[in-house]
Amino acid sequence: MKIADIRKSYERAELNEHASHADPMLQFDQWLHEAIKSEIPEPNAMTVATVGSNLRPSTRVVLIKGYDARGIVWYTNYDSRKGSELAGNPFAALQFHWVELERVVRIEGRVERVSAEESDEYFHSRPLDSRIGAWASPQSQVIPNRTLLVTNAAKFGAQFLLNPPRPPHWGGFRLVPDCWEFWQGRKSRLHDRLRYQQQADGWLRERLAP
């Protein structure tokens, strides 16, 4: 089969203005819980897109670790490529793709660091190996081989034992949304797309052509 011939018909559900929430965070909360309840693989996985100083975009998959009225939170190495790009251009886009539910959520907005207290709390909730790994990996840097990572992990494991502190270069980011889009696959490629844009008095909800 030619790759151009691969296609499917989307017929699981619909998304309309009357049945959706006026607040996009509530709509996201509903869809995320439905994805979790459906037991699809990694419903908490999201793509993060940033733009560097050379204006080249880059994407990577991370895991959402929290959300509330303030925004969407994930954790990473601040010295990584995404961390460096966000330091220079603090805007990003997120995307959730729940294939089995034929749904996509896109979120855009400004990104800020979470507080040190929030980062500390989450860091100390992680498994020990993950906490050591945050020290062992110089994320996004060129390394000679995997041996470096294993050696670093052993070194920091011996140094910190069961209580590694949070590295100063590691912590959380929060994207503060100003634009959301909810996409529900529909038959004949006539998909449902609802966009929410932040206005001075709340959220403007509009339907976009697929």
Side-chain angles (χ1 to χ4, degrees):
M1 178 180 292
K2 295 180 181 179
I3 191 170
D5 294 332
I6 299 175
R7 56 177 55 88
K8 66 172 291 188
S9 180
Y10 301 97
E11 302 179 20
R12 287 184 58 97
E14 64 181 41
L15 177 65
N16 62 61
E17 294 83 346
H18 304 293
S20 61
H21 293 281
D23 184 334
M25 185 62 79
L26 295 179
Q27 184 64 37
F28 172 73
D29 179 70
Q30 176 185 324
W31 273 21
L32 178 59
H33 278 89
E34 289 176 1
I36 295 170
K37 186 177 180 180
S38 297
E39 299 183 346
I40 63 177
E42 294 196 289
N44 55 335
M46 63 183 185
T47 299
V48 178
T50 56
V51 176
S53 59
N54 58 0
L55 302 184
R56 294 175 66 100
S58 61
T59 65
R60 71 287 291 160
V61 177
V62 304
L63 301 179
I64 182 175
K65 291 300 178 180
Y67 64 97
D68 55 27
R70 296 173 296 170
I72 308 292
V73 174
W74 71 96
Y75 292 86
T76 189
N77 186 316
Y78 288 140
D79 294 334
S80 65
R81 179 175 178 179
K82 57 185 171 297
S84 298
E85 291 183 346
L86 287 170
N89 178 21
F91 292 89
L94 310 177
Q95 178 171 289
F96 293 83
H97 186 193
W98 297 309
V99 178
E100 294 82 356
L101 301 181
E102 301 173 355
R103 288 174 173 174
V104 174
V105 180
R106 297 178 55 250
I107 314 166
E108 300 174 19
R110 186 177 183 87
V111 178
E112 61 189 24
R113 292 189 181 189
V114 306
S115 69
E117 292 75 17
E118 289 177 90
S119 291
D120 284 340
E121 180 179 2
Y122 174 68
F123 182 80
H124 291 296
S125 75
R126 305 178 83 207
L128 177 60
D129 287 351
S130 296
R131 284 178 279 154
I132 294 297
W135 284 94
S137 175
Q139 191 175 125
S140 299
Q141 296 181 26
V142 175
I143 59 175
N145 48 50
R146 183 175 176 80
T147 301
L148 176 70
L149 299 177
V150 176
T151 300
N152 283 351
K155 179 183 71 174
F156 287 114
Q159 178 180 342
F160 297 127
L161 300 177
L162 299 179
N163 297 295
R166 178 175 63 88
H169 57 266
W170 191 97
F173 282 115
R174 175 180 289 108
L175 183 139
V176 182
D178 57 27
C179 183
W180 298 72
E181 183 183 323
F182 295 86
W183 181 97
Q184 176 71 62
R186 296 297 300 276
K187 189 176 181 180
S188 303
R189 296 299 186 265
L190 299 178
H191 311 303
D192 290 327
R193 294 175 63 190
L194 294 184
R195 180 180 66 188
Y196 295 73
Q197 290 186 298
Q198 191 171 45
Q199 308 289 300
D201 58 350
W203 292 95
L204 172 64
R205 180 176 50 189
E206 300 173 301
R207 176 172 288 268
L208 302 180

